[in-house]
Amino acid sequence: MDTESALPSSTTTSSRALATEAVHAGRDDLAALGLHAAPIDLSTTYPSYDSRAEAERIDTFATTGARLDGPPVYARLDNPTTARFETALARLEGTASAVSFASGMAALTAVLLARASAGLRHVVAVRPLYGCSDHLLGAGLLGTEVTWTDPAGIADALRPDTGLVIVETPANPTLAEVDLRAVAHSCGSVPLLVDNTFATPVLQRPVEHGARIVLHSATKYLGGHGDVMGGVVACDEEFAAVLRQVRFATGGVLHPMAGYLLLRGLSTLPVRVRAASASAAELARRLSADPRIARVHYPEVGGAMVSFEVYGDPHQVIAGVRLITPAVSLGSVDTLIQHPASISHRIVDEGDRQAAGVGDRLLRMSVGLEDIEDLWADLCQALSGDEPAGPASAGSVSAGSVSSGSVSSKSVSSGSVSARPVRTVAGSVPGSRQGVR
């Protein structure tokens, strides 16, 4: 039985709930193969005694970028294990295809190169973005040119050579959100790329709101355990074919072991995201009532990310945590906290960073699966070593208001991007329905 070369179907024959798709997508053929767990194919090359046929298949790939029938010839062309992950992620995002890469930045690089290869080197982007995404665009390392704007200015920023509009929502690290339908409308015929790393398809499927390309740093929630690095782009098959050709030429392939771990991570994605989101919403509520906190950022769509601004020294908070891990990255089963201005967004020019709402007192926390009381106790003791608190009534929640118990709702703005009102009530989490929004 040829278990290694069997590729899963890229389409589903029935409408299944997100939780069901997360468990079964990319694995539908396993029972027929006599397998329960997906196999790991570590081959770098694939034998063939028919060199004429191989030449024809390579010519076909060079012309179309389509997946080859049969073994991949060489691991830089494709891999059966990573193909399973791609199939599953495309199902969850509601796209025809997905193409995986060695990291989220490799994925974004491939998208930019693919558009530039069509003579479309201009990009319109909305801050804040992940710091390295911001740097890649702004530094012009790939020969691209970027125009930074707010959502309302997208239509006016478009040019004949604009190949892409990029937004991240909720944004890293302020968690500011944009109206995806309105942004997609402003893009006209220019493809809208949405970085969906923070929300994941559990809480938001951008293609349902008009986006044409969805980007993930798969290192984060898709893997979910802090032990795998990868990136993936969900899109239509036409663009996926171009991305495969870029991946083959540049070599930014996802390792098969990483593909296996990411496929495994998807099976628990809905459970992990919903559980962590419930804790994050409660921590946002408690932080909003804490006099040591100047402002809390928590998005309308929900999710496991919370950002907050302290009155005192944020570096003392980082140094003071004991249960929470002071580390860059996010999306793991354990809670992580970091200071964006020092780490994830350090590479962004200070003026641009500040203008995007990434201030020096902002902390970003990725809430994991620990008990909420243990997390709160650790936060409290870390904050207790900080400078004196501000006014008792000064706590606020960005992107709208949080109201629960004796905490009065407080309305604020968020970064440089207009945010939509939100009301979070203890015991409920925005976007926690069984389906997706």
Side-chain angles (χ1 to χ4, degrees):
M1 182 179 298
D2 185 6
T3 59
E4 294 296 322
S5 62
L7 291 178
S9 170
S10 61
T11 58
T12 181
T13 56
S14 61
S15 177
R16 302 192 294 203
L18 180 76
T20 303
E21 286 283 38
V23 172
H24 291 279
R27 305 169 181 85
D28 298 294
D29 62 327
L30 293 181
L33 295 172
L35 299 173
H36 183 242
I40 306 174
D41 187 333
L42 296 174
S43 299
T44 58
T45 190
Y46 297 83
S48 173
Y49 291 96
D50 190 343
S51 57
R52 292 185 180 88
E54 292 296 78
E56 290 179 3
R57 294 205 305 147
I58 292 174
D59 286 346
T60 297
F61 178 82
T63 302
T64 68
R67 276 198 169 125
L68 302 177
D69 294 330
V73 180
Y74 187 59
R76 192 152 37 86
L77 270 164
D78 206 353
N79 174 273
T81 304
T82 60
R84 290 182 180 277
F85 164 64
E86 292 168 343
T87 295
L89 193 278
R91 294 261 196 93
L92 294 182
E93 282 290 3
T95 59
S97 299
V99 183
S100 60
F101 295 87
S103 68
M105 290 308 302
L108 177 58
T109 296
V111 172
L112 294 173
L113 289 175
R115 298 305 286 160
S117 70
L120 303 170
R121 296 182 176 275
H122 179 242
V123 177
V124 175
V126 175
R127 281 191 174 114
L129 293 174
Y130 168 52
C132 286
S133 299
D134 188 307
H135 175 67
L136 181 64
L137 292 170
L141 294 172
L142 301 178
T144 55
E145 178 186 351
V146 62
T147 297
W148 297 101
T149 185
D150 58 28
I154 288 175
D156 290 338
L158 299 179
R159 304 186 331 203
D161 63 336
T162 303
L164 204 63
V165 174
I166 300 179
V167 301
E168 182 177 5
T169 182
N172 185 354
T174 66
L175 305 180
E177 298 172 277
V178 299
D179 184 333
L180 285 179
R181 288 193 185 278
V183 168
H185 179 75
S186 299
C187 292
S189 61
V190 177
L192 169 63
L193 180 150
V194 176
D195 187 331
N196 203 32
T197 298
F198 277 19
T200 80
V202 177
L203 302 179
Q204 170 180 274
R205 293 208 288 194
V207 294
E208 295 178 350
H209 303 283
R212 290 168 56 185
I213 304 169
V214 182
L215 175 74
H216 284 273
S217 172
T219 307
K220 312 309 193 288
Y221 289 104
L222 303 188
H225 293 76
D227 57 6
V228 59
M229 183 168 286
V232 64
V233 178
C235 54
D236 60 28
E237 174 55 27
E238 181 181 1
F239 191 58
V242 180
L243 290 177
R244 292 188 198 105
Q245 292 176 316
V246 172
R247 182 178 63 182
F248 174 71
T250 58
V253 296
L254 183 70
H255 191 275
M257 183 60 74
Y260 170 82
L261 291 173
L262 290 172
L263 179 65
R264 188 177 68 168
L266 289 185
S267 63
T268 60
L269 179 66
V271 176
R272 288 186 286 104
V273 168
R274 288 169 183 145
S277 296
S279 295
E282 174 61 13
L283 288 174
R285 184 191 71 82
R286 295 186 186 189
L287 286 167
S288 71
D290 194 305
R292 295 167 293 188
I293 305 301
R295 177 173 294 181
V296 174
H297 305 257
Y298 188 70
E300 177 184 356
V301 75
M305 299 299 298
V306 179
S307 293
F308 55 96
E309 300 167 36
V310 297
Y311 281 109
D313 184 357
H315 302 287
Q316 290 187 19
V317 180
I318 295 292
V321 293
R322 295 295 177 263
L323 174 66
I324 298 169
T325 303
V328 73
S329 199
L330 56 108
S332 183
V333 290
D334 60 320
T335 299
L336 308 176
I337 193 169
Q338 66 113 344
H339 183 241
S342 295
I343 305 180
S344 64
H345 288 70
R346 188 66 178 178
I347 202 168
V348 180
D349 177 80
E350 183 178 3
D352 293 333
R353 190 170 68 229
Q354 294 280 353
V358 188
D360 292 336
R361 295 185 184 274
L362 180 73
L363 293 170
R364 190 195 73 188
M365 184 167 61
S366 168
V367 180
L369 301 181
E370 301 96 337
D371 184 85
I372 182 72
E373 299 304 333
D374 291 329
L375 291 175
W376 181 241
D378 193 41
L379 271 179
C380 282
Q381 66 85 23
L383 287 166
S384 67
D386 206 357
E387 297 175 7
S393 61
S396 57
V397 176
S398 173
S401 62
V402 166
S403 177
S404 177
S406 60
V407 182
S408 59
S409 57
K410 310 171 185 74
S411 179
V412 298
S413 61
S414 176
S416 61
V417 180
S418 298
R420 299 173 300 210
V422 57
R423 183 176 177 83
T424 303
V425 180
S428 67
V429 183
S432 62
R433 302 192 303 273
Q434 181 66 18
V436 298
R437 54 182 294 178

